[in-house]
């Protein structure tokens, strides 16, 4: 398997040809998922005792399997939180894998970690956190949020917090699903402030006051959202920071999606207060144009995270020796083994400069505003709320939930777009609505019109 022969060379050429072709396509085919049994019939058995050969395996992927996937960088993929990695970042993702660098410790990965840290310098500068703040790249927002929550809980415990009962975290209904999921992982409870809209400092303080004395004694942290996934809403970070300071609580800002907007001058004011956070999550693989998977967690006081996450083992002692001294990413988050996820971001930043990033993020915001204007022009369409960051919620008059789902599948099957419905809790209760999320600078006004035109059928 590890011999370099002519078959390996030919397979390498095939892979590189595919990669070059893929990154030069601006409008890739909008693939459609198939049932597993259908794929099995199409490709047969691929893992066998003797193998089917690289040429055949690659042919099956290229001609069948990749067409059963939806490319996240399609300009009319506006569902969930899509992505649009730069060509430079994609190419350097290949370099990262080919270089086979272990990114956990400086001793093994010094040069690569150095590059990651320069990209991290820029991320930290976007938050406005004080000198000394720093972070590390993770597999995504979920891992970043978990690392931050573990750190917050242990800091609380070391400061006198109980070890006999579950800790409590406060967040809003609009907080990302990973907050509740990761609270389960660390055996903590989540108390939700009853709003899907902007969580204010006043509402948070009132919710905390409404807890029992026992619950307030177990409360150790607050998660504010810097751009909700559903609607792009930025919480009242400054007000929440004040409540956390008054009550002695860890202040975490989950800006996994919205953190990219920190680079945009037009909306930077919405994040006032993020500079007071104890920790921040940002996902470069969302709105900072990096391939999956690349998240980041930033700490106001990194030493607190190192104390919590640093692993011990006799075979790891060498990494703490003077001869291997340097920044060890494994000490600041939950993973020991890790690839250098920040390298593609570093290379793209170094290639294009931060001004280009600002322009690309601003384009997503501009597209959202323009989409809102177009929706107002279309008969039968209505904005649910004003666009926020790069998210737009809107409804089709007279439609029931099933109408939205059928429209989604119809457009997807036709290769037009992938736009999915969501739910929004407004004054009249919870309703099914449509949602755009703009990330890709290649998306055009014409793309928006193509999608909206199908809503008139």
């Amino acid at each position: 398997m590890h011999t370099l022969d002519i078959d390996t060379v030919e397979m390498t050429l095939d892979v590189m040809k595919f990669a070059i072709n893929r990154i030069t396509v601006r409008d890739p085919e909008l693939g459609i998922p198939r049932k597993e049994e259908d794929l099995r019939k199409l490709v047969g058995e691929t893992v066998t005792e003797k193998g089917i050969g690289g040429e055949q395996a690659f042919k099956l992927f290229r001609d069948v399997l990749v067409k059963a996937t939806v490319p996240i960088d399609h300009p009319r993929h506006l569902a969930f939180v899509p992505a649009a990695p730069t060509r430079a970042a994609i190419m350097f993702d290949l370099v990262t894998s080919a270089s086979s660098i272990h990114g956990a410790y400086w001793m093994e990965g010094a040069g690569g970690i150095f590059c990651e840290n320069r990209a991290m310098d820029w991320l930290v500068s976007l938050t406005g956190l004080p000198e000394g703040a720093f972070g590390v790249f993770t597999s995504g927002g979920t891992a970043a949020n978990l690392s931050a929550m573990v750190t917050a809980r242990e800091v609380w415990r070391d400061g006198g917090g109980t070890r006999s009962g579950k800790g409590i975290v406060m967040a809003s209904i609009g907080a990302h699903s990973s907050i509740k999921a990761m609270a389960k992982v660390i055996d903590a409870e989540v108390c939700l402030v009853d709003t899907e809209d902007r969580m204010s400092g006043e509402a948070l303080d009132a919710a905390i006051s409404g807890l029992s004395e026992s619950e307030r004694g177990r409360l150790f942290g607050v998660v504010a959202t810097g751009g909700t996934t559903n609607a792009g809403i930025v919480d009242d970070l400054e007000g929440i920071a004040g409540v956390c300071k008054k009550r002695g609580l860890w202040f975490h800002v989950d800006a996994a999606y919205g953190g990219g907007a920190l680079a945009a001058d037009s909306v930077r004011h919405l994040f006032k207060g993020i500079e007071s956070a104890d920790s921040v999550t940002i996902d470069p693989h969302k709105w900072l144009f990096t391939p999956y998977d690349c998240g980041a967690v930033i700490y106001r006081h990194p030493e607190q995270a190192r104390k919590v996450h640093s692993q011990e083992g006799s075979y790891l002692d060498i990494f703490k020796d003077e001869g291997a001294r340097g920044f060890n990413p494994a000490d600041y988050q939950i993973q020991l083994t890790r690839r250098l996820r920040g390298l593609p971001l570093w290379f793209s930043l170094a290639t294009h400069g931060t001004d280009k990033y600002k322009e690309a993020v601003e384009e997503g915001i501009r597209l959202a505003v323009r989409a809102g204007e177009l929706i107002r022009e279309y008969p039968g369409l209505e904005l649910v709320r004003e666009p926020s960051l790069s998210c737009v919620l809107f409804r089709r008059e007279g439609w029931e939930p099933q109408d939205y789902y059928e429209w989604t599948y119809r457009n997807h099957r036709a290769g037009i777009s992938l736009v999915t419905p969501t739910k929004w809790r407004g004054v009249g209760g919870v309703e099914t609505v449509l949602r755009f999320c703009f990330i890709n600078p290649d998306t055009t006004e014409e793309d928006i019109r193509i999608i909206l035109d199908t809503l008139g059928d």
Side-chain angles (χ1 to χ4, degrees):
M1 291 190 300
H2 294 82
T3 301
L4 182 61
D5 54 21
I6 187 62
D7 290 338
T8 304
V9 172
E10 290 179 351
M11 181 178 63
T12 302
L13 294 174
D14 286 342
V15 169
M16 293 306 299
K17 181 181 178 181
F18 174 86
I20 292 170
N21 179 68
R22 178 61 181 80
I23 67 174
T24 55
V25 173
R26 299 181 68 88
D27 192 5
E29 181 180 341
L30 192 63
I32 299 176
R34 293 173 174 265
K35 294 181 180 180
E36 182 171 351
E37 54 265 34
D38 293 337
L39 289 175
R40 282 186 178 275
K41 290 177 182 177
L42 288 169
V43 304
E45 195 62 55
T46 56
V47 179
T48 65
E49 289 184 355
K50 301 299 182 181
I52 63 173
E55 183 178 355
Q56 176 63 10
F58 186 76
K59 185 175 185 295
L60 289 173
F61 176 80
R62 181 193 63 204
D63 297 342
V64 179
L65 298 172
V66 76
K67 294 181 180 180
T69 68
V70 180
I72 58 168
D73 58 346
H74 190 286
R76 292 192 297 278
H77 182 330
L78 304 180
F80 318 117
V81 179
T86 66
R87 274 68 178 178
I90 293 170
M91 290 302 292
F92 215 75
D93 203 36
L94 293 173
V95 173
T96 299
S97 295
S99 299
S100 195
I101 303 171
H102 186 216
Y105 292 103
W106 189 263
M107 182 181 184
E108 292 181 300
I113 295 170
F114 173 87
C115 295
E116 279 195 323
N117 288 355
R118 302 295 69 78
M120 182 58 66
D121 285 338
W122 181 64
L123 290 184
V124 174
S125 74
L126 294 180
T127 67
L129 283 162
E131 185 177 353
F134 206 62
V136 65
F137 292 99
T138 67
S139 61
T142 296
N145 286 334
L146 176 58
S147 299
M149 292 173 73
V150 169
T151 303
R153 185 192 59 184
E154 294 309 301
V155 168
W156 168 67
R157 284 177 169 176
D158 289 346
T162 179
R163 292 182 179 270
S164 58
K166 289 186 177 183
I168 294 177
V169 177
M170 296 287 294
S172 77
I173 290 174
H176 192 264
S177 58
S178 68
I179 302 303
K180 287 184 282 188
M182 293 307 96
K184 289 181 181 179
V185 172
I186 66 173
D187 198 28
E189 297 177 17
V190 178
C191 290
L192 297 176
V193 177
D194 191 22
T195 179
E196 190 174 3
D197 217 308
R198 185 173 185 257
M199 180 170 70
S200 67
E202 292 82 0
L204 171 65
D205 204 34
I208 294 174
S209 296
L211 298 175
S212 68
E213 184 177 349
S214 171
E215 289 172 328
R216 286 196 298 273
R218 294 187 287 120
L219 179 62
F220 67 87
V222 173
V223 178
T225 306
T228 60
T229 306
N230 205 31
I233 297 165
V234 181
D235 285 340
D236 171 20
L237 303 183
E238 188 173 33
I240 294 168
V243 173
C244 291
K245 183 177 181 180
K246 179 180 72 173
R247 294 184 176 272
L249 301 171
W250 185 279
F251 176 33
H252 176 65
V253 178
D254 179 7
Y257 150 61
L262 288 165
D265 294 335
S266 65
V267 296
R268 181 63 179 79
H269 63 281
L270 299 176
F271 293 85
K272 186 177 181 182
I274 196 171
E275 69 279 359
S276 298
D278 293 294
S279 54
V280 177
T281 290
I282 299 176
D283 275 0
H285 67 212
K286 288 188 170 75
W287 210 355
L288 291 176
F289 316 111
T290 301
Y292 290 136
D293 50 8
C294 181
V297 58
I298 300 169
Y299 301 100
R300 187 181 195 85
H301 301 294
E303 183 59 27
Q304 293 175 321
R306 193 195 66 78
K307 183 178 179 182
V308 171
H309 292 290
S310 182
Q311 297 190 30
E312 302 292 335
S314 58
Y315 71 100
L316 299 175
D317 287 346
I318 186 65
F319 295 121
K320 304 184 190 316
D321 184 74
E322 285 190 12
R325 185 165 293 172
F327 182 80
N328 296 325
D331 288 345
Y332 300 89
Q333 39 85 58
I334 60 171
Q335 292 173 285
L336 179 61
T337 301
R338 66 182 292 275
R339 73 193 301 265
L340 289 165
R341 292 183 173 87
L343 272 185
L345 174 62
W346 164 79
F347 185 74
S348 188
L349 283 168
T351 299
H352 299 296
T354 60
D355 283 351
K356 292 292 186 183
Y357 270 73
K358 287 176 177 285
E359 292 171 11
V361 174
E362 290 282 14
E363 179 62 10
I365 296 167
R366 189 196 70 79
L367 285 167
V369 172
R370 183 58 184 142
E373 294 170 347
L374 291 174
I375 287 166
R376 290 188 182 95
E377 296 174 5
Y378 274 72
L381 301 185
E382 181 183 23
L383 283 175
V384 172
R385 65 190 312 279
E386 288 299 312
S388 184
L389 299 186
S390 67
C391 287
V392 185
L393 300 184
F394 63 106
R395 63 174 65 88
R396 172 72 158 79
E397 293 177 2
W399 272 19
E400 298 295 327
Q402 190 59 32
D403 295 314
Y404 289 105
Y405 286 96
E406 289 176 356
W407 173 84
T408 293
Y409 290 125
R410 187 165 61 247
N411 271 6
H412 190 189
R413 285 194 299 269
I416 296 172
S417 66
L418 180 60
V419 178
T420 56
T422 188
K423 288 183 171 58
W424 175 255
R425 193 181 72 169
V427 177
V430 178
E431 65 172 319
T432 300
V433 299
L434 285 174
R435 171 182 172 276
F436 286 155
C437 183
F438 295 98
I439 296 291
N440 195 338
D442 283 344
T443 302
T444 65
E445 183 175 321
E446 180 60 24
D447 289 319
I448 300 171
R449 289 184 182 276
I450 288 172
I451 296 169
L452 294 181
D453 283 344
T454 66
L455 288 163
D457 297 342

